[in-house]
Each structure stands twice: as structure tokens, then as C-alpha cells.
């Protein structure tokens, strides 16, 4: 797949076919993604690939923890307050997701069910958890994690796989560690799901928007 095409046609996939992702394909993607840039070639990323029974257990437990109303305590705290423009954008994507799922705003139960599905990682057959050692300066290592994550998503797309970067996969790190042997000294940054997309599903097909370049670009000549 041509690179511009890959970048502009990748989208977050939130409904997968049940087919497992072949281990060889996951390995091929990671093998290529290791060529991602990092500060001074430090390559601070560590990836846990979770599939099969441990993933099924984690998806179920993560959904339940959310439905139990547990307070999230991610290793990478999420901001609680966002500027108005950004808030408008995340509210809009939330609306579009619910509309695609035909869940009316006033349907509290439906919304809760949907949120639960999010915490169950949209039932993806593969999860990559990106971690860094706690001894590292986190803000800086995160730049490198962002670079490799996007590379993984694009490579997956080029091989016909869907992906979704999921903050909700890392909301309860202590729960992750109950199922997945990530040592305490590794901070869980975020997870990326992989799987074959259900191409017909409305949740994989709603229209997305982006700011136009002039809104965020300043040219200095
Ligand atoms: C750091 C990060 C965390 C994200 N967490 C979630 C999440 O928890 N749930 C979700 O449905 N999508 C999540 N996404 C996907 C974004 O919603 C998505 O990238 C954005 O809406 C743009 O849509 P696109 O990826 O289809 O282009 C996350 C993306 C990023 C980069």
C-alpha cells in the first residue's frame, strides 16, 4: 500500500471479525515497526502481545471493573480538563460513535453497554500493550511510543488488519498485571488492538472529520 494512501485510509476499527490474527503476521508487523524512530535510537518501547485465553480473561475483567464503577488509576494519567475546541472534538466523536451504534443519547443503558464494550476492547482478538521502564523520563519516552504505535497501526492497515489505540485498555494497570505478567517497574502506556475489520459495520464506517491544515499550521517564510 502506498504510504499516503495508508495514512489517509487508516481509521480506528471498533468491530472485528472473530478470526485470530496469525502469529506470523503480528511478528512481521513488529519486525518492521522496530525501524520506527526514537530519541538517539534509544528504542525505549516494550511490547506485550496478548492473545487467546489471557486476552479473553482480561477483556471480561476490564469490562467488569468498569461496570463496577472502579476508579481508574492508569500509569499514564489522563487529563481531566480540555480546552473548549478539543472538548468539542471529543464530544463530536462520542456522538458519532453512538449514532453509528444507533444508541440514542437518552438511552443510558445502551450507552453503558457501549462503554462496557469499549472496556472489553471491542472484542478484538489481539492486544499489544506498550510499556516503558519507570526509570525513564516518561514524557520523553512517550514521543517514541507514539511513533511506534502509529507505525504499528499503519503496517497493520497495509496488511488488511484493523487497529484501535485504546486508552481504556490501560485504565486499571493492577488488573492488567493480574492477567498479564507485566512487572511493576514497567509503566503501561497504552494498548493497541488488532484484528480483521468487520468492514460492513457502521461503527467502522461513520464519517470522521479533521481540522484543515490552516487551522493548525503556521508558515514562516
Ligand atoms: C492516545 C489515544 C487513545 C485512544 N483511546 C481510545 C479509547 O479509549 N476508545 C476509543 O474508542 N478510541 C480511542 N482512540 C481512538 C481515537 O478516538 C481516534 O484515533 C480518533 O477519534 C480519530 O479517529 P481515527 O483513528 O478513526 O482516524 C484513542 C486514540 C489515541 C491516539
Amino acid at each position: 500500500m502506498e504510504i499516503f494512501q495508508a495514512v489517509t485510509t487508516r481509521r480506528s476499527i471498533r468491530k472485528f471479525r472473530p478470526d485470530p490474527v496469525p502469529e506470523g503476521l503480528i511478528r512481521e508487523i513488529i519486525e518492521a515497526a522496530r525501524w520506527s524512530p526514537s530519541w538517539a535510537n534509544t528504542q525505549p518501547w516494550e511490547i506485550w502481545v496478548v492473545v487467546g485465553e489471557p486476552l479473553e480473561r482480561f477483556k471480561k475483567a476490564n469490562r467488569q471493573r468498569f461496570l463496577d464503577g472502579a476508579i481508574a488509576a492508569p500509569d499514564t494519567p489522563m487529563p481531566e480538563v480540555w480546552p473548549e475546541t478539543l472538548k468539542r472534538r471529543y464530544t463530536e466523536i462520542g456522538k458519532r460513535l453512538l449514532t453509528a451504534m444507533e444508541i440514542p443519547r437518552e438511552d443510558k443503558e445502551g450507552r453503558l453497554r457501549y462503554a462496557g464494550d469499549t472496556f472489553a476492547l471491542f472484542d478484538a482478538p489481539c492486544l499489544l500493550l506498550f510499556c516503558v521502564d519507570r526509570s525513564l523520563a516518561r514524557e520523553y519516552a512517550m514521543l517514541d511510543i507514539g511513533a511506534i504505535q502509529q507505525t504499528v497501526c499503519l503496517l497493520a492497515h497495509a496488511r488488511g488488519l484493523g487497529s484501535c489505540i485504546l486508552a481504556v485498555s490501560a485504565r486499571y494497570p493492577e488488573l492488567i498485571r493480574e492477567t498479564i505478567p507485566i512487572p511493576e517497574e514497567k509503566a503501561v502506556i497504552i494498548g493497541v488492538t488488532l484484528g480483521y475489520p468487520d468492514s460492513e459495520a457502521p461503527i467502522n464506517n461513520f464519517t470522521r472529520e479533521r481540522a484543515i491544515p490552516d487551522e493548525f499550521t503556521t508558515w514562516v517564510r
Side-chain angles (χ1 to χ4, degrees):
M1 190 183 281
E2 196 266 328
I3 189 73
F4 275 77
Q5 190 198 359
V7 170
T8 54
T9 60
R10 180 218 55 86
R11 62 176 297 149
S12 292
I13 293 301
R14 296 182 176 88
K15 194 166 193 311
F16 298 93
R17 304 202 319 250
D19 318 50
V21 183
E23 187 175 319
L25 187 48
I26 303 170
R27 288 184 185 280
E28 186 194 10
I29 289 167
I30 295 173
E31 165 72 32
R34 76 197 161 105
W35 292 100
S36 301
S38 61
W39 180 75
N41 201 23
T42 43
Q43 307 162 66
W45 44 69
E46 296 182 43
I47 304 174
W48 268 259
V49 182
V50 192
V51 294
E53 199 271 328
L55 178 60
E56 293 313 309
R57 252 190 304 146
F58 174 64
K59 289 191 285 199
K60 213 168 145 197
N62 202 43
R63 180 207 296 265
Q64 196 54 53
R65 186 67 54 108
F66 163 73
L67 293 176
D68 291 345
I71 296 179
D75 288 341
T76 312
M78 279 184 78
E80 282 173 19
V81 182
W82 294 84
E84 238 2 86
T85 313
L86 276 62
K87 202 170 155 187
R88 259 203 309 280
R89 290 178 186 155
Y90 78 62
T91 308
E92 182 59 31
I93 192 76
K95 273 192 211 154
R96 286 183 192 217
L97 284 164
L98 290 178
T99 306
M101 295 299 288
E102 297 184 25
I103 301 170
R105 245 204 99 56
E106 59 283 3
D107 178 2
K108 267 192 173 173
E109 249 178 50
R111 280 164 52 192
L112 190 65
R113 209 174 32 251
Y114 171 77
D117 288 349
T118 307
F119 277 80
L121 315 181
F122 299 106
D123 209 14
C126 175
L127 171 68
L128 269 49
L129 283 168
F130 290 77
C131 303
V132 297
D133 198 277
R134 286 191 201 276
S135 64
L136 299 176
R138 194 85 55 82
E139 298 94 317
Y140 222 80
M142 300 266 296
L143 294 172
D144 307 327
I145 292 290
I148 192 167
Q149 256 188 173
Q150 168 72 339
T151 306
V152 162
C153 292
L154 290 174
L155 289 165
H157 182 47
R159 286 286 183 264
L161 287 173
S163 65
C164 193
I165 301 170
L166 281 179
V168 291
S169 62
R171 282 286 178 86
Y172 310 116
E174 85 294 350
L175 181 72
I176 293 178
R177 291 189 178 91
E178 280 174 22
T179 324
I180 301 156
I182 299 178
E184 190 51 51
E185 64 269 23
K186 308 293 171 193
V188 181
I189 306 299
I190 207 157
V192 176
T193 49
L194 296 178
Y196 290 100
D198 178 340
S199 313
E200 302 302 313
I203 200 164
N204 291 338
N205 286 289
F206 63 89
T207 307
R208 300 157 309 142
E209 277 174 14
R210 289 294 198 268
I212 56 165
D214 281 352
E215 282 183 49
F216 60 89
T217 312
T218 305
W219 287 74
V220 182
R221 296 187 170 95

